[in-house]
Amino acid sequence: MTGSAAKSGVPANLQVVPDLAQRVAKFRRVQMPFRTAGLSAREIQLVHKLVEACGYLESIYWRQSDPEALTLYQSLAASKSSRDVELRRYLWINASRFDLIDGNKPFVGTDPMPPGHGFYPTDLTRAQVEQYIKQHPDEKAAIYDQFTIVRWHTGKLEAVPYHIAYRRFLEPAARALRAAANLSSDPAFAKFLRLRADALLSDDYFPSDLAWLELKNPKFDIIFAPYETYMDELLGVKGSYGAAVMASDERESKKLELFAKYVPEIQDALPLTAEDRPSKHGLETPMEVVDAPFRTGDLTHGYQAVADNLPNDPRVHEQKGSKKLFFKNFMDARVNYVIVPVVRKLMEPEQAAKVTSEGYLVGTIMHEICHGLGPAYARTAAGKVGIRESIGPLHSSLEEAKADVTGMFALQWLVDHGVLPKEKLEEYYASYVGDLFRTARFGIAEAHGPAEMMEFNYLLERGAVSRNARGRYVIDYGKIAGATADLAKELLEIEATGDRQRAENWFKKYDQMPAELKTALKVTENIPVDIDPVYSFPVRVR
């Protein structure tokens, strides 16, 4: 990894947490090799060109996350001090000075994390934005646009489009995508790459998103856009750049056809009024199991996603649907190094044994499918409004929880309709609860944390999960189906109505970690919280 800033080491007076080494140890390094067996020289060249393009998004992501962390990270490049080496690695893991698993408190320095990260002025508040919009209503669209950064300029808020703010990185990224298109033997994939290159320089991703969903069983694929809004804790609308280079696992992908077949029926069965669950009949539901030999931006720092449902644009959902991607190499690492060791410590052995890779994969498949189900827009007094805008900063956590419990509702539906075997149901529920324990160890700073903490507390309240006299957690299989179905109905209704206050009240009631769980989690302290992927390719932050 290389940087361009001065390589002087960390200043002696800069405060660094004393337990830095223990924090670094919570992330297990795992190799994610690029496997070239069976690939032609041209295909290998294509992958290298895609990796090159992805590298430019890495440089943007740091500037969105924490520009000061980037300066510090680069300054440590040449230092041999053990503290500097550890600090540099932890800066890399978080892409910021703020610790994801410690409530986003600073692990270096004392500055608190600005909720708007690098998207807004550090001292800007949501109340200020809302007051400003009341006075300048014609500027709302630009300020709330997913693809603008907001700055003060001569006493006014100014929205600068991404394609202008980050042009020096986006132009070479677009050139690399076009070069990759010239190397591709798949005309549809080449077309998508060229359209996505155009999108980088216009911030109009709609045409390329449609082309992406039209790909049929591509051998290679990429995620390459500022899709996710998890990082924006001020307004909850700004997209952070992320990228992944993916090689298809054809054998595993074939198995997904069964699930795709029933997506329209599951949408129709959701506990919502018909007007809030637009039909999915005739829409695309492409699903791919892939190996990801390289990821950057929001897909390689902090929480390591094992699956994705993209794009997030509700216009695309209405016209085409969405694509579900499952990163098998990341999923296998999570199950083997984190989930199974954790549940062996926390759950009754008989139920812990039911937590399996297959159960986790099936639950993850349904989670990603259900990101694309439910309402496409919020139905408010002001008319049809984007759910993200209507709910605000809590949207990411609400959507993650909705996908979790609606996914379990969908699995129960598939079992009830004879699509999946009834004898697998306990395995599915055990794997779902096991993952709640894994995510709880992140705390509630990351979107998945408050989501799954809220789910866990609700299941406790309903008696679907409880802690026995031995200090082990047990699932009541007779109660958990009803509890998850009821929770799915609540969260789907919040999204359908765009009721921000209802969402805030619900999470305020349920998203805090109970004391007994904090105590229970102490026995997992020597188990990794997550993985730290190591790629075959060099990673450069410019």
Side-chain angles (χ1 to χ4, degrees):
M1 301 173 192
T2 62
S4 57
K7 301 177 177 66
S8 56
V10 65
N13 62 348
L14 188 61
Q15 182 175 318
V16 180
V17 292
D19 63 341
L20 182 63
Q22 292 93 317
R23 298 187 190 209
V24 170
K26 290 182 181 293
F27 292 82
R28 180 183 175 121
R29 277 187 164 160
V30 177
Q31 297 291 329
M32 297 295 179
F34 172 39
R35 306 185 192 282
T36 59
L39 300 183
S40 69
R42 189 179 181 90
E43 288 173 332
I44 293 172
Q45 190 179 358
L46 164 64
V47 170
H48 278 268
K49 190 56 67 173
L50 293 174
V51 167
E52 178 190 328
C54 292
Y56 293 105
L57 299 197
E58 179 69 27
S59 297
I60 300 175
Y61 180 81
W62 280 81
R63 287 162 172 82
Q64 294 182 315
S65 176
D66 186 3
E68 290 192 33
L70 173 59
T71 300
L72 179 58
Y73 175 80
Q74 291 174 325
S75 76
L76 299 174
S79 176
K80 304 301 182 186
S81 155
S82 59
R83 184 184 76 157
D84 289 357
V85 170
E86 286 179 341
L87 177 57
R88 192 165 194 261
R89 184 173 169 213
Y90 212 52
L91 285 165
W92 172 262
I93 287 170
N94 289 277
S96 78
R97 295 162 290 157
F98 311 107
D99 195 336
L100 178 66
I101 59 174
D102 188 30
N104 279 327
K105 296 174 186 173
F107 59 87
V108 56
T110 57
D111 293 340
M113 186 192 77
H117 289 263
F119 299 120
Y120 310 91
T122 56
D123 58 350
L124 189 66
T125 67
R126 190 170 85 185
Q128 284 179 299
V129 174
E130 291 173 347
Q131 181 61 34
Y132 184 86
I133 293 302
K134 286 181 182 178
Q135 298 168 354
H136 307 86
D138 57 321
E139 297 178 35
K140 179 179 179 179
I143 288 172
Y144 275 79
D145 193 293
Q146 184 173 346
F147 309 125
T148 64
I149 60 172
V150 177
R151 295 288 179 261
W152 287 113
H153 181 66
T154 61
K156 295 184 66 179
L157 288 177
E158 178 184 52
V160 182
Y162 282 3
H163 72 272
I164 294 174
Y166 306 124
R167 180 172 292 276
R168 70 186 176 107
F169 302 111
L170 294 173
E171 286 184 339
R175 286 196 296 271
L177 288 186
R178 293 189 180 105
N182 293 336
L183 291 165
S184 176
S185 60
D186 180 344
F189 185 53
K191 174 187 174 183
F192 160 67
L193 291 176
R194 293 186 180 102
L195 287 172
R196 184 49 47 105
D198 293 343
L200 295 178
L201 305 180
S202 68
D203 295 321
D204 181 7
Y205 289 86
F206 186 67
S208 56
D209 280 342
L210 297 181
W212 192 46
L213 291 184
E214 290 168 358
L215 298 179
K216 302 299 182 185
N217 304 315
K219 186 171 184 178
F220 302 102
D221 203 350
I222 60 165
I223 296 170
F224 203 92
Y227 279 135
E228 304 292 7
T229 60
Y230 300 128
M231 195 193 297
D232 179 4
E233 298 183 39
L234 189 73
L235 300 182
V237 297
K238 301 301 180 186
S240 57
Y241 284 86
V245 177
M246 302 172 289
S248 177
D249 184 325
E250 292 183 26
R251 185 173 62 85
E252 291 294 330
S253 293
K254 191 76 174 171
K255 298 177 183 177
L256 299 178
E257 293 176 2
L258 173 70
F259 298 97
K261 178 180 177 182
Y262 291 96
V263 167
E265 285 81 0
I266 293 170
Q267 172 78 343
D268 293 344
L270 294 181
L272 275 174
T273 59
E275 65 179 320
D276 291 325
R277 43 177 173 79
S279 174
K280 298 295 179 180
H281 292 273
L283 297 183
E284 299 282 347
T285 312
M287 294 195 282
E288 302 172 19
V289 177
V290 300
D291 247 19
F294 191 72
R295 308 202 306 192
T296 58
D298 66 18
L299 278 163
T300 207
H301 298 288
Y303 178 89
Q304 294 299 307
V306 299
D308 241 327
N309 177 74
L310 296 168
N312 295 322
D313 188 338
R315 299 174 302 163
V316 180
H317 290 183
E318 282 193 321
Q319 291 190 32
K320 282 282 187 182
S322 59
K323 181 184 289 196
K324 286 75 177 167
L325 297 157
F326 304 93
F327 307 107
K328 192 172 188 304
N329 53 339
F330 282 80
M331 195 174 296
D332 289 346
R334 174 179 289 180
V335 172
N336 294 335
Y337 297 125
V338 183
I339 296 177
V340 168
V342 165
V343 299
R344 285 176 177 167
K345 296 276 191 180
L346 294 179
M347 295 173 69
E348 276 295 328
E350 181 184 355
Q351 292 191 347
K354 292 182 182 293
V355 178
T356 65
S357 293
E358 182 185 351
Y360 185 66
L361 172 61
V362 171
T364 304
I365 289 169
M366 296 316 302
H367 172 102
E368 296 305 326
I369 285 175
C370 289
H371 269 309
L373 299 187
Y377 291 92
R379 173 177 40 83
T380 72
K384 190 168 73 170
V385 179
I387 297 171
R388 181 182 290 108
E389 177 185 336
S390 187
I391 297 297
L394 261 181
H395 172 264
S396 293
S397 295
L398 173 64
E399 175 59 25
E400 289 302 326
K402 179 215 82 173
D404 269 352
V405 293
T406 306
M408 297 313 298
F409 172 91
L411 272 179
Q412 184 72 53
W413 186 93
L414 290 168
V415 169
D416 291 344
H417 288 76
V419 179
L420 294 174
K422 188 175 182 179
E423 57 269 23
K424 288 283 189 180
L425 198 52
E426 290 187 1
E427 187 178 321
Y428 300 149
Y429 281 117
S431 297
Y432 160 63
V433 172
D435 194 48
L436 295 181
F437 291 121
R438 176 196 66 84
T439 311
R441 299 171 72 220
F442 275 92
I444 61 170
E446 197 273 338
H448 297 77
E452 299 201 18
M453 197 70 266
M454 179 271 290
E455 296 165 52
F456 181 80
N457 283 325
Y458 184 81
L459 295 178
L460 279 178
E461 181 181 270
R462 292 287 299 269
V465 174
S466 60
R467 196 176 184 211
N468 64 19
R470 297 179 61 241
R472 298 274 184 155
Y473 285 92
V474 292
I475 302 166
D476 186 329
Y477 291 112
K479 294 180 178 179
I480 194 166
T484 51
D486 290 346
L487 183 53
K489 185 175 190 296
E490 173 71 25
L491 302 183
L492 286 164
E493 286 182 353
I494 291 174
E495 288 198 344
T497 57
D499 192 331
R500 181 180 297 190
Q501 190 62 55
R502 183 175 171 183
E504 290 175 352
N505 291 344
W506 188 266
F507 275 86
K508 188 180 296 183
K509 180 178 179 181
Y510 289 110
D511 75 356
Q512 295 302 306
M513 185 181 294
E516 67 171 24
L517 180 58
K518 285 184 182 178
T519 301
L521 287 174
K522 288 180 180 179
V523 300
T524 70
E525 286 180 350
N526 293 327
I527 298 170
V529 167
D530 209 341
I531 66 166
D532 178 17
V534 180
Y535 305 115
S536 304
F537 305 92
V539 181
R540 297 182 179 88
V541 188
R542 299 167 174 86

